[in-house]
Amino acid sequence: MNTERYTVTAALPYANGPIHIGHLAGVYVPADIYVRYLRSKGRDVVFVSGSDEHGVPITIKAKKEGVTPQYIVDKYHAQIKKSFADFGISFDLYSRTSNKVHHDTASEFFTVLNDKGVLEVKTTDQYYDEKAGQFLADRYIIGGCPNCGYTEAYGDQCESCGTSLSPSELINPRSALSGDKPVRKKTKHWYLPLNRYETWLKEWIIDGHKKDWKTNVYGQCKSWIDQGLNARAVTRDLDWGVPVPVVDGQGKVLYVWFDAPIGYISATREWAAQTGNDWEKYWKDPGTKLVHFIGKDNIVFHCIIFPAMLKSHGEYVLPDNVPANEFLNLENNKVSTSKNWAVWLHEYLEDFPGKQDVLRYVLCVNAPETKDNDFTWKDFQARNNNELVAILGNFINRVVVLTHKFFNGVIPERGALTAFDNKLIQRIADFPDVLSLNFENFKFREALNTFMDISRLGNKYLADTEPWKLIKEDRERVGTILNLSLQVAANLAIMGEPFLPFTVEKINNILGLDKKQWNSAGSIDLIGTGHQINEPTLLFEKIEDKAIEFQINKLNATKTDTKLGNKVNDEIKPVKDTILYEDFSKLDLRIGTIIGAEKVEKSNKLLKLKIDTGMDRRTVVSGIAKDYSPGEIVGMKVSILINLAPKKIMGIESQGMILMGEGDDGKLAFLLPDKEIVNGSVIS
RNA sequence: GGCGUGGUAGCUCAGUUGGUUAGAGCGUCGGAUUCAUAACCCGGAGGUCGGGGGUUCAAAUCUCCCCCACGCUACCA
């Protein structure tokens, strides 16, 4: 018996929203298929995930909605957990990072690293809100953007111009909590010196995993390592998260990127405690294979940072493989939560009750394994009707119907085998190994296609042997044919389980079989002669055009809504504080004409514009190159802020700022006068 | 701009260390069939392998340049 041990993790979804098909296709369906296969093989496997419930975005969302962070995470944790259960994602435990076990585990982990002297401690000046009595996370500091002048820029990024900032760059910073001007105060933080692991990472990944890791994963890692790694802060000043377990750690928590992956360990501990297992076997025994299923956005954390943490801790195994997937698009557009451009799992089940396996099938067969892929409803319908219904469902149905028609649902005896039969038997016997190889190499799409070939083979066998004709002259031969066909059906129930667990259960019910393990696959003695099978029920039903049109309209409606501005609230920027007329009048806004434009060398966003302001001709650097080419804008009359302090950008002094409107898709548009007006005209 | 990944039939993808007429599924067209949810089965059409140079007796496969998509990174309204 194979006793290989596996610890399989699926990315921790961030608990600030529901789950959509992109998550399922990229992470949870492949992970589940893999794990179901391993279990069927009799391997010792634990499969965990959980909600990632810490971090600043949750605190911000809570603030916006006027509720506590706990309320937010409770709500989404429950919803996410239910979605996974509904789709048959067979976690041994789906946990959450707000659990005590996790707080303990993460604390211990930090303590070990700290005691070993792995972490570096640095004291820096940070902004502190005296009224609120706490340090301010970068996002909690608001102030003027030094680049574009936007007055509501966050301390980490200006949402107006997209610049990444550090809080110290903000002009007139104020606290998002109290509105007061924050003071600078010294604070101490712990850092993980990733730079010290560069040599080791090179050996471990670049030399050691060149062959067995997916090219996209390997390439991304190489890119990161080659660029050089920096120390990353492990702690931050915040009150939502795992408290830093040292004397001078008050008011500090572990940074979410540090505590989140430890959530895998916590979940395993929790599961082990509940089931009487030893969690350490699954994380510290060198014989255990650790496999992380994630999306491509998480590669750096799972291939570089977390392994560095595990390595520096010293007791843990390192990931054996990280089969990260790319992204799934929806009807040719990126999935976007804020634009509601998504198929949410809970909504899918309302519209297509009982069709979990259809979605699992489509997402697997079309999974973004090597590049971004597209999900379309039309394809969904075609896959269901032409593959699940026509090939798999049809095969099972015709075998069962024929058995009832000719043998009253009793498995007929298998007589003498022809060479043709033996060919079928041989081919069936070959499938398990081919599939195994696909699974072990994380080629789930190919595995699913191979699995469908079993049904194709069965259909062809029936077409070639024509039992419905033969029944009149050779009943015994028909018995043999159906017996073999039924064995093929039983094989489908074993080898299909990783992909289509709900369907397999139906097949087993129809055939009156118990669930069987992988080592029985390939056999033609899965159903005994004389066994009574049940009445056929349809495994899949056709999906009509109507249902597909409904989904497409639903999506298009969200697009229209978005265009009209009736979109999900958090995309609209909040109204800024009231100002006096004097404040406004400080701005000198004019009309000017673009008389020249050229691309700024070595930049892909910037155009160097020459503007005639009526009183002078000045140079303005503007980041509009993605939306406008130099040729199309010369001669346009635009709005310009002329008394903005000059600033050198890419070595060019920019003397002003062109006013642009920014759409929700990030596209920029000029503000243009609607009738002829001379250069230098005042805008007020 | 730098780095990474990808660009093969209408669609989704395979193509092992360069080697005979470049494959599969779906779609499409034609045929056959009726046990089956008009499904299954057989056959045909359809590709200058993103574009262009180079190496080679021989390149989708190696090399150089360019274009496009996605991601990371830099600069940035």
Side-chain angles (χ1 to χ4, degrees):
Chain A
M1 190 79 229
N2 202 330
T3 52
E4 273 184 78
R5 192 183 304 107
Y6 288 81
T7 299
V8 180
T9 74
L12 305 176
Y14 199 57
N16 70 342
I19 295 287
H20 56 65
I21 57 170
H23 299 121
L24 210 55
V27 178
Y28 304 100
V29 165
D32 188 59
I33 290 171
Y34 186 64
V35 166
R36 283 175 183 271
Y37 162 74
L38 292 177
R39 289 194 190 115
S40 183
K41 269 282 216 187
R43 308 262 170 92
D44 180 8
V45 44
V46 61
F47 180 30
V48 294
S49 185
S51 302
D52 176 5
E53 304 187 335
H54 294 144
V56 175
I58 282 170
T59 64
I60 288 179
K61 191 174 177 85
K63 222 169 188 68
K64 232 173 208 165
E65 296 182 12
V67 295
T68 62
Q70 192 64 46
Y71 176 88
I72 296 281
V73 299
D74 283 349
K75 173 177 157 187
Y76 288 113
H77 172 72
Q79 185 178 28
I80 293 168
K81 189 174 178 177
K82 180 170 184 308
S83 286
F84 287 143
D86 286 344
F87 278 88
I89 308 300
S90 57
F91 295 122
D92 288 299
L93 185 73
Y94 184 78
S95 186
R96 54 195 307 190
T97 62
S98 59
N99 276 355
K100 183 173 184 306
V101 186
H102 176 67
H103 279 238
D104 293 347
T105 309
S107 291
E108 283 170 32
F109 202 104
F110 175 89
T111 305
V112 169
L113 296 198
N114 197 33
D115 290 351
K116 286 182 88 170
V118 168
L119 303 176
E120 291 172 353
V121 183
K122 288 184 208 167
T123 301
T124 53
D125 269 342
Q126 298 278 321
Y127 281 112
Y128 183 82
D129 184 327
E130 293 186 304
K131 193 186 273 175
Q134 60 176 274
F135 280 97
L136 297 166
D138 293 354
R139 271 200 98 78
Y140 276 129
I141 303 162
I142 298 172
C145 172
N147 293 304
C148 71
Y150 179 65
T151 55
E152 303 295 312
Y154 292 116
D156 57 346
Q157 191 184 33
C158 171
E159 299 222 318
S160 175
C161 68
T163 312
S164 31
L165 301 169
S166 73
S168 56
E169 294 175 85
L170 291 177
I171 298 156
N172 295 324
R174 62 182 194 281
S175 163
L177 298 178
S178 65
D180 281 7
K181 189 179 161 73
V183 298
R184 283 172 101 45
K185 194 169 162 180
K186 287 207 184 309
T187 181
K188 185 167 159 182
H189 284 291
W190 286 257
Y191 291 75
L192 181 67
L194 287 171
N195 45 308
R196 282 202 224 149
Y197 296 89
E198 277 181 25
T199 316
W200 168 71
L201 284 166
K202 269 184 187 146
E203 277 171 32
W204 179 58
I205 298 179
I206 298 185
D207 301 337
H209 285 296
K210 193 176 175 87
K211 293 209 181 113
D212 58 335
W213 284 15
K214 293 173 63 170
T215 51
N216 57 334
V217 175
Y218 180 85
Q220 189 59 239
C221 290
K222 191 168 181 309
S223 175
W224 275 90
I225 295 169
D226 288 348
Q227 272 172 45
L229 301 168
N230 298 316
R232 277 183 84 104
V234 167
T235 57
R236 64 185 322 187
D237 294 301
L238 190 70
D239 60 1
W240 180 245
V242 178
V244 176
V246 290
V247 186
D248 38 4
Q250 310 92 323
K252 301 177 197 299
V253 296
L254 301 181
Y255 223 126
V256 64
W257 65 260
F258 183 85
D259 94 68
I262 295 174
Y264 300 136
I265 303 172
S266 314
T268 310
R269 286 178 77 163
E270 199 179 331
W271 163 80
Q274 287 171 11
T275 55
N277 271 290
D278 172 15
W279 75 270
E280 292 188 292
K281 273 197 323 199
Y282 293 88
W283 281 93
K284 300 185 175 178
D285 184 319
T288 297
K289 285 189 176 177
L290 174 61
V291 180
H292 296 303
F293 283 86
I294 54 168
K296 66 173 164 184
D297 51 330
N298 257 326
I299 289 174
V300 66
F301 289 106
H302 289 77
C303 297
I304 293 180
I305 298 176
F306 190 44
M309 289 163 58
L310 295 171
K311 173 82 177 165
S312 60
H313 183 291
E315 294 175 13
Y316 285 87
V317 296
L318 299 170
D320 188 66
N321 211 322
V322 184
N325 276 326
E326 305 280 305
F327 287 151
L328 187 71
N329 292 329
L330 171 59
E331 300 285 355
N332 292 309
N333 286 293
K334 281 187 204 182
V335 172
S336 162
T337 303
S338 57
K339 288 179 198 157
N340 201 22
W341 189 257
V343 177
W344 304 105
L345 298 196
H346 57 284
E347 291 187 9
Y348 171 87
L349 279 184
E350 283 169 18
D351 295 344
F352 296 102
K355 295 201 193 312
Q356 285 91 333
D357 276 351
V358 177
L359 191 61
R360 284 178 66 114
Y361 179 83
V362 174
L363 294 182
C364 176
V365 84
N366 202 19
E369 283 181 2
T370 53
K371 61 173 183 187
D372 288 2
N373 247 340
D374 200 28
F375 175 94
T376 65
W377 282 108
K378 203 180 91 309
D379 180 64
F380 170 83
Q381 180 189 28
R383 298 278 189 188
N384 178 76
N385 293 355
N386 305 330
E387 297 177 26
L388 290 176
V389 174
I391 297 172
L392 174 56
N394 186 35
F395 173 68
I396 297 289
N397 188 238
R398 56 201 300 213
V399 172
V400 172
V401 167
L402 286 169
T403 304
H404 276 283
K405 199 171 256 181
F406 300 151
F407 296 96
N408 296 317
V410 177
I411 311 295
E413 208 168 311
R414 193 159 69 226
L417 298 175
T418 65
F420 194 76
D421 295 340
N422 281 318
K423 219 169 169 183
L424 172 83
I425 292 167
Q426 184 52 51
R427 294 212 48 196
I428 292 297
D430 289 340
F431 273 102
D433 285 347
V434 176
L435 279 169
S436 285
L437 200 62
N438 286 331
F439 285 132
E440 315 251 354
N441 290 318
F442 308 103
K443 295 190 169 174
F444 304 113
R445 203 165 47 188
E446 199 177 330
L448 186 47
N449 282 317
T450 303
F451 165 74
M452 290 303 284
D453 284 342
I454 302 173
S455 299
R456 291 193 176 96
L457 186 64
N459 275 320
K460 185 166 165 45
Y461 180 73
L462 286 178
D464 289 342
T465 54
E466 299 183 307
W468 49 91
K469 278 186 181 167
L470 266 182
I471 190 68
K472 290 168 204 148
E473 51 207 70
D474 191 348
R475 187 180 159 83
E476 199 182 320
R477 174 68 188 141
V478 170
T480 302
I481 293 166
L482 287 185
N483 181 297
L484 283 176
S485 300
L486 283 155
Q487 308 299 342
V488 174
N491 268 285
L492 286 169
I494 300 172
M495 292 186 262
E497 198 270 345
F499 312 104
L500 309 169
F502 298 94
T503 304
V504 160
E505 207 182 325
K506 280 194 211 165
I507 297 176
N508 280 331
N509 285 339
I510 296 170
L511 298 181
L513 293 176
D514 293 329
K515 192 172 159 180
K516 287 201 175 61
Q517 292 289 96
W518 192 265
N519 59 17
S520 316
S523 160
I524 52 155
D525 295 305
L526 299 174
I527 313 183
T529 304
H531 177 79
Q532 172 76 46
I533 62 172
N534 297 311
E535 289 300 318
T537 54
L538 295 180
L539 298 181
F540 304 100
E541 56 189 18
K542 288 213 160 204
I543 292 174
E544 303 297 332
D545 293 346
K546 267 193 318 206
I548 296 304
E549 279 163 25
F550 177 81
Q551 293 301 327
I552 292 174
N553 289 339
K554 191 165 157 183
L555 273 174
N556 285 338
T558 71
K559 210 165 204 176
T560 315
D561 281 355
T562 306
K563 265 194 189 127
L564 293 173
N566 306 326
K567 52 180 180 173
V568 195
N569 49 26
D570 52 277
E571 274 292 292
I572 303 268
K573 299 226 166 77
V575 177
K576 299 176 194 173
D577 294 341
T578 301
I579 60 166
L580 298 172
Y581 178 75
E582 290 79 73
D583 294 321
F584 173 73
S585 65
K586 287 179 187 162
L587 304 178
D588 195 341
L589 297 167
R590 305 290 183 114
I591 297 295
T593 298
I594 300 175
I595 55 175
E598 59 183 276
K599 253 197 102 122
V600 175
E601 285 296 311
K602 293 207 151 204
S603 157
N604 55 358
K605 275 178 149 184
L606 299 182
L607 290 187
K608 178 180 165 189
L609 306 178
K610 203 82 176 165
I611 309 288
D612 184 342
T613 64
M615 59 213 95
D616 59 18
R617 296 178 164 195
R618 57 175 74 197
T619 300
V620 174
V621 176
S622 188
I624 58 177
K626 285 203 167 160
D627 300 292
Y628 293 97
S629 62
E632 65 181 311
I633 58 172
V634 172
M636 283 177 112
K637 276 212 192 296
V638 299
S639 319
I640 173 173
L641 174 63
I642 59 168
N643 64 336
L644 184 65
K647 158 125 178 133
K648 268 212 171 174
I649 298 166
M650 300 285 281
I652 302 162
E653 185 170 274
S654 179
Q655 303 153 315
M657 173 172 146
I658 307 293
L659 271 43
M660 307 293 296
E662 183 178 353
D664 60 321
D665 51 2
K667 292 255 184 281
L668 300 171
F670 286 107
L671 307 181
L672 308 171
D674 75 343
K675 58 175 73 133
E676 193 50 36
I677 184 167
V678 298
N679 289 338
S681 300
V682 172
I683 300 173
S684 60

